[in-house]
Amino acid sequence: MQKKCTLNRITPFIFMLLAFLLANSPNAKAGISYEYPDNVVVSLLNSNNIKENEIILRIAAKESYSGCVNISELTYEMEIEYGIIEIVTDGYAVEDTTGKDCNTNYKVPVANIILSLDELEKNDIQLIKFSNGDYEDVYAMDRTDEYIELTPQGKVRYFFEAGWKKGVDQMKLYHRPENMVLLFVKTPPYRDIQKYMNQFAKEHGLKVEKSNYIYPSEKYGISEFLYKDVKNLYLPKVKKLPYLELGKITIYNERDGQYRNRPEKVDMEVYVRKP
């Protein structure tokens, strides 16, 4: 007999009711509409705001908004059965904030679904079924001690894989074993610095196991990298510290125009912390 439980449920009715009440309140100065995405993009990522045994499955509408608008999260319902996770997406609320103080940055309707690695293992999750009521796309989940990877089964029609961005495979996520440390630079570089970081890690007693051991942050940056602290050199030191400075790497940024044959030398501070 299959065990079935609801991990998370966000109903669009709540957002529609909220939109109606706000739009019809005496103080309302702007309208609120409920929109439905044309397509949804699926990706995996880590975050400093979740537990060590958790990962984030991000679903994001392809639409983006700028100007004086507020965007709600993309609504969804999720259920888990033995071997399968089912996710059904709905829409999102858009509020026109013209006449108010507003953030003009681009905004995307997103839902960050937190998944427990323990729950994935306990329920032996092999598949994730995404649906919007009209289309259903299925992804296989490959789980190992080091990473989780999602692979579409057949041609997708609505829930598209995020693919690669800035050198990061957004469909393959290396999670955080206990003996891992994270090396990072505070300023995102203009070029790929992985080879510099790998060399720096080796020189500082860390083990470089995989060339693509990149730690995808919430901004999908390439300034953070995971390595194994097999000698336990740094983990004891960073248990009670936010981070620790280790040294510098020197990179050479290529330049255009008359300076194209004279790369720019840049020194970058390297720090270590727990993932």
Side-chain angles (χ1 to χ4, degrees):
M1 182 176 181
Q2 289 185 333
K3 180 181 179 182
K4 185 174 182 178
C5 61
T6 300
L7 291 182
N8 199 340
R9 182 177 292 272
I10 300 178
T11 60
F13 173 75
I14 296 175
F15 284 94
M16 295 178 71
L17 178 61
L18 178 61
F20 176 80
L21 293 175
L22 290 175
N24 290 276
S25 67
N27 297 324
K29 295 182 180 180
I32 299 178
S33 61
Y34 198 76
E35 306 293 338
Y36 298 88
D38 294 329
N39 296 113
V40 172
V41 179
V42 178
S43 60
L44 294 170
L45 64 149
N46 281 317
S47 170
N48 296 331
N49 300 318
I50 59 176
K51 298 177 182 178
E52 290 189 6
N53 67 332
E54 294 175 336
I55 63 170
I56 293 175
L57 170 64
R58 169 171 287 181
I59 50 175
K62 279 193 172 181
E63 293 85 351
S64 63
Y65 294 80
S66 63
C68 295
V69 292
N70 287 333
I71 309 297
S72 77
E73 291 186 355
L74 179 64
T75 60
Y76 68 93
E77 294 182 359
M78 179 172 72
E79 289 188 347
I80 183 170
E81 296 183 6
Y82 189 80
I84 301 174
I85 292 176
E86 295 186 6
I87 296 173
V88 180
T89 63
D90 202 82
Y92 54 92
V94 180
E95 179 189 9
D96 183 356
T97 58
T98 302
K100 305 177 182 179
D101 293 335
C102 62
N103 183 345
T104 58
N105 293 338
Y106 280 98
K107 310 169 188 73
V108 178
V110 168
N112 290 325
I113 305 172
I114 299 176
L115 299 177
S116 164
L117 298 177
D118 295 336
E119 285 291 323
L120 296 178
E121 181 69 24
K122 177 182 176 181
N123 291 283
D124 192 23
I125 299 301
Q126 304 291 329
L127 295 174
I128 299 184
K129 292 183 178 180
F130 295 95
S131 173
N132 72 334
D134 294 322
Y135 299 104
E136 181 180 85
D137 294 317
V138 180
Y139 282 76
M141 177 181 285
D142 182 21
R143 294 179 292 108
T144 73
D145 291 338
E146 295 182 337
Y147 66 83
I148 290 178
E149 184 173 20
L150 297 182
T151 306
Q153 303 299 286
K155 183 178 180 181
V156 297
R157 297 187 296 170
Y158 187 84
F159 297 88
F160 292 93
E161 53 186 323
W164 288 77
K165 185 175 183 179
K166 293 185 178 179
V168 175
D169 184 356
Q170 299 175 70
M171 302 302 291
K172 186 173 185 178
L173 179 67
Y174 288 92
H175 45 79
R176 300 162 285 184
E178 293 182 359
N179 62 343
M180 302 296 287
V181 293
L182 186 134
L183 297 189
F184 68 98
V185 296
K186 291 185 177 180
T187 304
Y190 291 106
R191 58 168 300 172
D192 184 3
I193 62 169
Q194 184 172 0
K195 67 177 183 179
Y196 300 97
M197 295 293 277
N198 284 354
Q199 183 60 36
F200 182 92
K202 291 176 182 177
E203 293 172 355
H204 286 75
L206 297 173
K207 187 176 182 181
V208 182
E209 280 208 325
K210 294 181 179 292
S211 61
N212 58 346
Y213 239 104
I214 302 174
Y215 179 81
S217 69
E218 289 168 282
K219 297 181 179 179
Y220 303 112
I222 57 169
S223 56
E224 302 177 328
F225 300 84
L226 280 170
Y227 300 100
K228 281 196 174 181
D229 188 7
V230 292
K231 299 178 182 178
N232 210 30
L233 298 173
Y234 306 108
L235 282 171
K237 299 178 181 179
V238 295
K239 279 186 177 180
K240 296 183 179 180
L241 295 174
Y243 56 83
L244 186 68
E245 183 179 338
L246 286 188
K248 296 180 180 180
I249 58 171
T250 300
I251 67 173
Y252 293 88
N253 285 326
E254 296 179 357
R255 296 192 286 184
D256 296 326
Q258 61 179 323
Y259 300 107
R260 61 183 178 275
N261 295 323
R262 295 167 57 187
E264 178 188 19
K265 181 180 177 181
V266 180
D267 290 329
M268 307 190 79
E269 301 286 348
V270 178
Y271 303 87
V272 60
R273 65 173 173 84
K274 289 184 63 178

